[in-house]
Amino acid sequence: MLRASGRRLGAAVAPAVALAAALLSSLARCSLLGPSDPVASVLSPYFGTKTRYEDVNPGLVLDPEAPRRDPELLEGTCTPVQLVALIRHGTRYPTAKQIRKLRQLHGLLQARGRGSAGGRDLGAALADWPLGYADWMDGQLVEKGRQDMRQLALRLASLFPALFSRENYGRLRLLTSSKHRCVDSGAAFLQGLWQHYHPGLPPPDVADMECGPPRINDKLMRFFDHCEKFLTEVERNATALYHVEAFKTGPEMQNILKKVAATLQVPVNDLNADLIQVAFFTCSFDLAIKGVKSPWCDVFDIDDARVLEYLNDLKQYWKRGHGYTINSRSSCTLFQDIFQHLDKAVEQKQRSQPISSPVILQFGHAETLLPLLSLMGYFKDKEPLTAYNYKEQMHRKFRSGHIVPYASNLIFVLYHCENAKTPKEQFQVQMLLNEKVLPLAHSQETVSLYEDLKNYYKDILQGCQNSEECELPKVNSTSDEL
Ligand SMILES: *[C@@H]1O[C@H](CO)[C@@H](O)[C@H](O)[C@H]1NC(C)=O
Ligand SMILES: *[C@@H]1O[C@H](CO)[C@@H](O)[C@H](O)[C@H]1NC(C)=O
């Protein structure tokens, strides 16, 4: 268990040690912790977008509410004046589509009869393992997901006490995607803040909170649904995900198919890559949602998990990442919106006015964060991820599980620095991804002058208009007009 976690972290030995310490310490407190005992799987590092937040932030296992201050965060003469956070919803149920596939696979195992091995083989154990997922759950936020949000709120409030002050509570601005899991995430976040201000008091309904419930804005948080060019060229285009389909039938996946068919004693022709993938996801869902290590995890070893992680990443890469330019360009309204908030705060500060929105919280999806990070130039590998370079991409930057686990968050912090030599140096910015400072793409530094950051992204800030980027190439309609 611990060894595998260390392997996931690769060269980053320190976090692995921290995780080990955290686990040991938690185990020592077992009787106190009860149901939140840490359960880990050697497969955890490979769950892609279904990764638990604490698997990328191992210190949280020990104390999920203690603020973990990245030592690179500015302090002293620079004070944070505004925070804009993009937050992926917390842990969720499988979608109805995933549940249907799981039911199909489960049915297959139940129909297969007892294994020829005679005893209790894995196939039989799985046939007897209750599914535990029903159609109504369809991607909704689970209790663990609410907890993800409450704990994130508590940590951020402790990390930025001046921004999350009691006085600012009524000025919090919350936006959300219309999906239930995001609306509910926003509400849970607010309840976490309530807990921060009024420890011990039960939180009121979000509708009765000072700042009101999160407002729905799909144009910003689900920009991908509103970009015609993206919808036509990628989302509804059967060939756009060519590499995903090719990888499903490629040698790496075929290998797993044969292995799993043998393990479960079902005909290989009854299985396909989608069913294999749903079995793998079920291991992740049982772990993230129920905190149990289910027998579905025993179907796979680490090499299988690496291949299945790649399959998941391939899809994210071609649909949300650097695969097609439109994937990231479609997020430029959101990018511009963030800088409009920052601009306004700078202006207000310059005029010695109070900041009207010191904290802006926006709840969305992995599909909201990945295009934005791609637009900003992050996690770009030299070579594209394809169906044919699995081995070469073993050490790729684009690993969605490290970037957008459940409850992942990208935070822009605007600082005002008192001792600045020039007016330009008064305003500085840091970015945090999952509560760790993200070096800036243009300098690799952990902090940037606000002006320099804007200058680096001026093409996107000035030259990217969603209305134009998302417009489909004009068909020459001259002949129609005749
Ligand atoms: C679909 O995707 C393929 C591969 O990127 C591309 O060549 C083709 O033009 C796309 N089709 C449409 C309708 O955009
Ligand atoms: C459309 O067709 C007309 C006549 O053939 C031509 O002059 C014009 O340049 C074309 N426009 C585009 C956008 O291709």
Side-chain angles (χ1 to χ4, degrees), residues 6 9-19:
L9 293 156
V13 171
V17 171
L19 173 63

Side-chain angles (χ1 to χ4, degrees), residues 232-309:
T232 306
E233 294 186 353
V234 184
E235 176 89 53
R236 302 182 191 131
N237 179 349
T239 51
L241 299 189
Y242 166 81
H243 286 287
V244 179
E245 296 311 314
F247 192 70
K248 282 182 185 172
T249 53
E252 292 88 358
M253 280 304 296
Q254 287 311 309
N255 219 353
I256 298 183
L257 236 67
K258 276 186 229 138
K259 247 171 74 178
V260 172
T263 309
L264 301 182
Q265 300 172 37
V266 293
V268 68
N269 289 336
D270 286 354
L271 292 177
N272 58 47
D274 288 351
L275 291 178
I276 298 290
Q277 199 175 25
V278 90
F280 184 58
F281 284 163
T282 303
C283 162
S284 80
F285 284 127
D286 284 352
L287 189 67
I289 298 170
K290 304 174 180 167
V292 299
K293 206 180 144 229
S294 89
W296 290 103
C297 305
D298 299 330
V299 177
F300 306 101
D301 63 23
I302 289 181
D303 289 328
D304 303 333
R306 288 201 175 98
V307 171
L308 289 161
E309 180 198 22

